[in-house]
Amino acid sequence: QRVTRQLLNACRGLEHSCSTQDLTQETLQKLYDGIRTDEIDNAMICAAKARIDRDPAYSCVARRLLLKKIQREVLLEGEPNGDMVGRHRGLFPAYLAKGVEGRRLHPELLRFDRERIAAALHLERDELLSFGGLQILFDHYLLRQGERLWETPQYFWMRVAMGLALNETNDREARAVEFYEILSTLRFIPSTATLLNAGTPRPQLGSGFLSTVKDDLEHIFKVISDDAKISRRAGGVGNDWTNLRATGSLIQSTNGESQGLIPFLKVANDTLAAVQQGSRRPGAMCASLEIWHLDIGDFLELRNSAGDSRRRTPDLHTANWIPDLFMKRVSEQGPWTLFSPCDVPDLHELYGAAFEKRYWEYEQMADRGEIKRFMRVEAVQLWRKMLTSLFETGHPWITFKDPPNVRSMQNHTGVIHGSSPGAETFLNSSPDETAVCPLGSVNLPAHWVGFGLDEPLLGQSIATAMRMLDNALDVGFYPTPEAQRAALKHRAVGLGLMGFQDVLFKLRIPYASAAAVEFADQNMELISYHAILASVRLARERGA
């Protein structure tokens, strides 16, 4: 009877699409003597989830059941009835105190006006989450103590909002509530690192970390060690490996020959596999290599399932770092020359016209015999091999060197040598600076009103989002000195968008159409304008 009542409640308003009787029968088949309450909850959720492919309405049923499970575990504590909204707000101060006592939350959170913060919570906004979104929160993001769940989704949003308001000096409760409003209504969502760590004692809030590896044994293993520290705190890692000398190059200190970069990439891969992000999900690491490197052939085979397992990296993402000159040679069906970086030491730091001029000079030197270690290949054949590897394994990714460098707003401070694991972040890196920035995405469908985007609301969301991202730079914990140096010197933040296809669907615009391109152009101009405007206002308030 209890199972039936709960399923009837979960199916309210959806009776024409969802069968309570079928769900009850399937749930009862999974019961056994001595079954725990949480296992009964899981049985009901699984019964609903298994029927989503029959009717999407079952997704709503599964979400309601999972919400009930979360609320029972965090809020009810044995009390089956009562005012859930009032209890949700009333227990929030105790949640903060318990979190600080258990060293899971930042002690500074207790200095907020907790009653005022609790009054801003909206339990009904849990309904804005899809079942898939709620399941991801439940599995990866909501705080736990052992197996015990501590957070509801609204506690989670408020914890992130308070964590990003720690450095606010003027009415930070109001700022925390402002941040909570756009988070809990899904108008803006920060990236994984911020969601996992904001409001915790050591809040690492950066998403992608980009580092450059020197051709030096100590520095190679320092970067690998740094990668482990970053991955442990939920950061994604992008390493630039182009500086390492090619296989067979002379090592003057030992008078031996280099084994190239592949063995070190294997060590990086195994480090990644050993250290998970925040202990909750696998880490992410991307190795970038310029395609004039003599070891490019071995690099293309790193993700192959066949071959020597000691020269394979099944967990490591790889990316070809491609100058425009190579694509010109492909178009012209011309030759392409591979070098060892120790023979062309400045090539990696050049891009655009300067790279083309210097690359041609090195080719001339090779032809005159001044450079002994090089290889001449057909550009088209190398391109075909790159595409074949991409088709078979999904790697290495195709990433272009010149466009991000030429268009970079920080190209006066350094060179971009690679991308983050998602290829969404292109920032300067060097042995002295590990590029890092907090990320987040504006959710376009959450700004849809009637027959179009609510532009004033979108501008308001972007202004608040930019303030949150800027705050993340100051309140965040940095795993390495190089990351902290780069973050606070350049103050880069990444503002993206999500739900573009959803909005096109609402507008009845085909994705592969000129109208979609035109909408993208207008929409991105709007986002860019408000992001820069928010930056200007922050600079006026806080200093350039």
Side-chain angles (χ1 to χ4, degrees):
Q1 289 176 343
R2 289 175 59 190
V3 168
T4 302
R5 281 200 304 270
Q6 192 156 336
L7 288 172
L8 281 169
N9 187 50
C11 292
R12 68 188 185 278
L14 303 170
E15 292 83 0
H16 63 288
S17 303
C18 303
S19 171
T20 304
Q21 183 178 359
D22 289 350
L23 292 173
T24 301
Q25 288 177 351
E26 182 166 340
T27 301
L28 293 178
Q29 289 175 359
K30 298 178 180 178
L31 303 191
Y32 60 90
D33 289 342
I35 189 171
R36 301 192 311 270
T37 302
D38 66 305
E39 292 177 314
I40 299 175
D41 290 337
N42 291 338
M44 290 188 290
I45 293 168
C46 287
K49 183 168 63 172
R51 285 170 164 73
I52 293 176
D53 60 344
R54 304 182 191 180
D55 194 305
Y58 281 104
S59 176
C60 181
V61 175
R63 180 194 64 208
R64 290 171 177 175
L65 291 169
L66 182 53
L67 278 174
K68 195 72 174 178
K69 171 183 170 70
I70 293 171
Q71 291 170 1
R72 181 186 295 115
E73 188 166 346
V74 178
L75 303 176
L76 293 183
E77 298 180 354
E79 297 185 24
N81 300 309
D83 174 20
M84 187 63 71
V85 173
R87 186 167 182 78
H88 185 251
R89 291 176 174 173
L91 287 176
F92 183 74
Y95 148 76
L96 292 179
K98 184 169 63 173
V100 171
E101 182 182 355
R103 298 182 180 179
R104 301 300 306 279
L105 296 181
H106 200 295
E108 190 67 20
L109 298 187
L110 295 181
R111 297 172 65 89
F112 282 79
D113 184 340
R114 286 172 275 173
E115 300 298 329
R116 181 180 172 190
I117 291 289
L121 293 168
H122 291 274
L123 184 61
E124 72 278 5
R125 290 179 183 170
D126 287 350
E127 298 285 339
L128 295 176
L129 293 163
S130 67
F131 170 69
L134 183 64
Q135 186 72 61
I136 290 172
L137 281 185
F138 180 78
D139 291 339
H140 299 291
Y141 292 95
L142 301 182
L143 288 182
R144 285 174 166 80
Q145 181 65 28
E147 293 298 317
R148 177 74 178 181
L149 189 67
W150 271 11
E151 287 184 325
T152 67
Q154 298 309 309
Y155 285 6
F156 159 77
W157 293 128
M158 187 60 85
R159 183 252 298 172
V160 174
M162 295 170 70
L164 292 174
L166 288 176
N167 67 323
E168 295 284 355
T169 56
N170 183 24
D171 196 357
R172 63 181 179 178
E173 286 81 8
R175 286 296 184 189
V177 171
E178 176 189 347
F179 297 166
Y180 168 78
E181 283 296 313
I182 74 166
L183 293 173
S184 62
T185 55
L186 310 184
R187 287 155 53 194
F188 170 76
I189 307 295
S191 61
T192 289
T194 303
L195 296 178
L196 281 177
N197 298 324
T200 63
R202 304 189 87 179
Q204 193 294 104
L205 307 179
S207 296
F209 290 73
L210 310 179
S211 57
T212 293
V213 186
K214 290 197 300 186
D215 188 26
D216 173 81
L217 191 64
E218 290 187 6
H219 193 257
I220 291 170
F221 283 97
K222 179 193 182 306
V223 171
I224 292 175
S225 174
D226 290 348
D227 291 346
K229 297 174 185 176
I230 292 167
S231 187
R232 179 180 65 172
R233 298 196 176 276
V237 180
N239 291 150
D240 157 36
W241 291 90
T242 300
N243 285 325
L244 270 65
R245 70 192 69 188
T247 304
S249 298
L250 175 66
I251 303 175
Q252 292 183 345
S253 60
T254 63
N255 203 32
E257 288 188 355
S258 170
Q259 297 299 306
L261 60 90
I262 304 301
F264 296 112
L265 291 176
K266 177 63 175 174
V267 176
N269 175 87
D270 295 343
T271 301
L272 173 69
V275 182
Q276 292 191 329
Q277 288 192 354
S279 301
R280 303 190 200 185
R281 71 175 197 174
M285 185 184 296
C286 177
S288 297
L289 189 72
E290 288 214 46
I291 60 168
W292 50 259
H293 197 290
L294 262 172
D295 284 345
I296 191 66
D298 292 332
F299 186 76
L300 294 177
E301 298 175 353
L302 282 172
R303 293 292 296 248
N304 287 359
S305 56
D308 186 352
S309 61
R310 293 170 298 180
R311 299 179 70 82
R312 298 293 180 264
T313 56
D315 304 298
L316 185 70
H317 297 300
T318 55
N320 290 311
W321 197 229
I322 304 172
D324 286 352
L325 178 61
F326 174 75
M327 300 311 299
K328 292 178 182 178
R329 296 282 180 90
V330 171
S331 179
E332 298 165 355
Q333 299 191 13
W336 185 249
T337 310
L338 307 179
F339 296 102
S340 177
C342 56
D343 297 323
V344 290
D346 59 337
L347 204 55
H348 191 38
E349 299 300 319
L350 302 174
Y351 60 86
F355 173 88
E356 293 192 17
K357 179 176 182 295
R358 190 59 171 154
Y359 185 83
W360 183 83
E361 291 174 354
Y362 280 129
E363 286 187 311
Q364 298 300 307
M365 293 170 64
D367 291 340
R368 294 194 297 268
E370 298 173 25
I371 296 178
K372 303 297 184 183
R373 185 170 294 278
F374 71 96
M375 180 185 296
R376 191 71 46 81
V377 299
E378 292 297 322
V380 169
Q381 294 303 317
L382 178 57
W383 178 240
R384 286 175 176 167
K385 187 174 182 180
M386 291 160 59
L387 295 182
T388 299
S389 178
L390 186 66
F391 178 79
E392 292 177 347
T393 69
H395 293 84
W397 301 334
I398 304 297
T399 52
F400 294 100
K401 173 183 181 179
D402 290 329
N405 272 295
V406 171
R407 292 166 174 80
S408 172
M409 291 183 288
Q410 296 183 331
N411 58 15
H412 59 291
T413 64
V415 177
I416 300 171
H417 295 114
S419 72
S420 62
E424 82 283 2
T425 305
F426 293 88
L427 293 170
N428 309 335
S429 65
S430 70
D432 298 322
E433 291 184 357
T434 297
V436 56
C437 70
L439 305 179
S441 295
V442 175
N443 183 16
L444 294 183
H447 297 84
W448 182 268
V449 178
F451 299 97
L453 292 172
D454 185 336
E455 294 186 8
L457 181 63
L458 184 62
Q460 176 188 337
S461 297
I462 292 171
T464 302
M466 290 296 291
R467 189 177 192 94
M468 294 167 71
L469 293 171
D470 190 60
N471 285 356
L473 291 168
D474 293 319
V475 304
F477 166 80
Y478 295 97
T480 68
E482 292 83 2
Q484 183 173 21
R485 184 181 304 122
L488 299 182
K489 176 182 177 182
H490 303 297
R491 301 196 69 83
V493 301
L495 181 71
L497 66 104
M498 63 174 76
F500 178 72
Q501 162 69 6
D502 301 72
V503 173
L504 288 182
F505 179 79
K506 292 176 182 292
L507 292 169
R508 296 296 187 264
I509 295 177
Y511 192 90
S513 69
V517 175
E518 177 63 23
F519 173 75
D521 189 45
Q522 295 175 2
N523 182 62
M524 286 309 303
E525 183 175 359
L526 184 69
I527 293 175
S528 176
Y529 170 81
H530 284 290
I532 295 172
L533 179 63
S535 296
V536 170
R537 289 172 174 169
L538 283 169
R540 182 185 301 156
E541 175 186 341
R542 298 176 170 179

